Amino acid sequence: VESLPEYVPDQDVFFEYFGQVTKEKYEESIRNMVKGYPVEAMLPYIFEQDRLTAAFLIGIAKKESNWGKRTPKLRGEECFNYWGYRGPGNRGMTEDGYGCFEKPSDAVETIGNRLVELSELRLTTEPANMVVWKCGSSCASHSPESVRKWISDVDIYYRQFAEK
């Protein structure tokens, strides 16, 4: 009996094709959802992130800025902060503490890295455990309803895209 060569999944043409098709469908579904919103221009950078981070970027951007329709400005100029990120951007911060970025790729990289960092610290990516994004170190000053609503709203998009 002739022995078969060792199976190497990374070299399987079928799985390579299937992975590409799945990636294309995943990206197409996000493109269709955000079509016409400012965040659409950020998709090339969002798609560079892993799927869990991308799902958070989409979900949080919807909740915090309606995908870029309501954003902080620095001296009247766009900050590309669609996530309500409070912290320094590479252009500084607005008067009320929001990070301001030179260009969309800078924003996605900074926010994406922060989301990865938070998920590693919390050992999870579940929206309920990432509410620190909304509240900071404590949700005591937020109503329980607003906290539940944030989790629920972000979870809608997170579930839709993280699991594809």
Side-chain angles (χ1 to χ4, degrees):
V1 173
E2 185 180 329
S3 76
L4 296 171
E6 181 184 342
Y7 176 71
V8 181
D10 293 343
Q11 295 175 355
D12 191 314
V13 174
F14 171 77
F15 285 118
E16 182 179 326
Y17 172 76
F18 182 75
Q20 185 60 33
V21 169
T22 302
K23 181 178 187 286
E24 288 170 6
K25 286 185 175 223
Y26 165 78
E27 291 180 4
E28 180 183 4
S29 66
I30 292 175
R31 277 190 188 89
N32 289 337
M33 183 170 287
V34 303
K35 189 168 190 63
Y37 287 88
V39 77
E40 183 178 19
M42 292 191 177
L43 290 181
Y45 314 112
I46 290 172
F47 292 148
E48 290 175 2
Q49 305 290 318
D50 67 71
R51 286 196 183 180
L52 294 176
T53 304
F56 264 121
L57 287 166
I58 295 297
I60 294 172
K62 177 62 175 171
K63 181 63 181 172
E64 296 294 337
S65 71
N66 195 18
W67 286 325
K69 287 192 168 192
R70 299 180 312 270
T71 61
K73 309 285 188 273
L74 182 63
R75 294 181 291 283
E77 292 183 24
E78 180 59 53
C79 287
F80 304 108
N81 184 345
Y82 298 174
W83 300 273
Y85 172 72
R86 290 187 179 267
N90 59 3
R91 275 182 51 213
M93 291 173 40
T94 64
E95 287 182 19
D96 47 357
Y98 292 100
C100 198
F101 301 93
E102 289 287 329
K103 53 191 183 213
S105 60
D106 297 335
V108 172
E109 181 180 350
T110 299
I111 282 50
N113 288 343
R114 181 66 178 138
L115 288 167
V116 168
E117 181 182 306
L118 288 173
S119 66
E120 288 173 354
L121 285 171
R122 298 190 168 285
L123 303 175
T124 182
T125 56
E126 289 295 313
N129 294 314
M130 297 290 282
V131 75
V132 64
W133 195 267
K134 173 187 178 42
C135 300
S137 60
S138 170
C139 287
S141 65
H142 299 267
S143 73
E145 296 80 26
S146 74
V147 172
R148 279 193 297 275
K149 181 79 169 118
W150 188 94
I151 293 167
S152 172
D153 291 352
V154 170
D155 194 62
I156 289 169
Y157 300 98
Y158 175 80
R159 294 261 171 253
Q160 189 168 354
F161 297 120
E163 296 174 359
K164 285 199 177 208

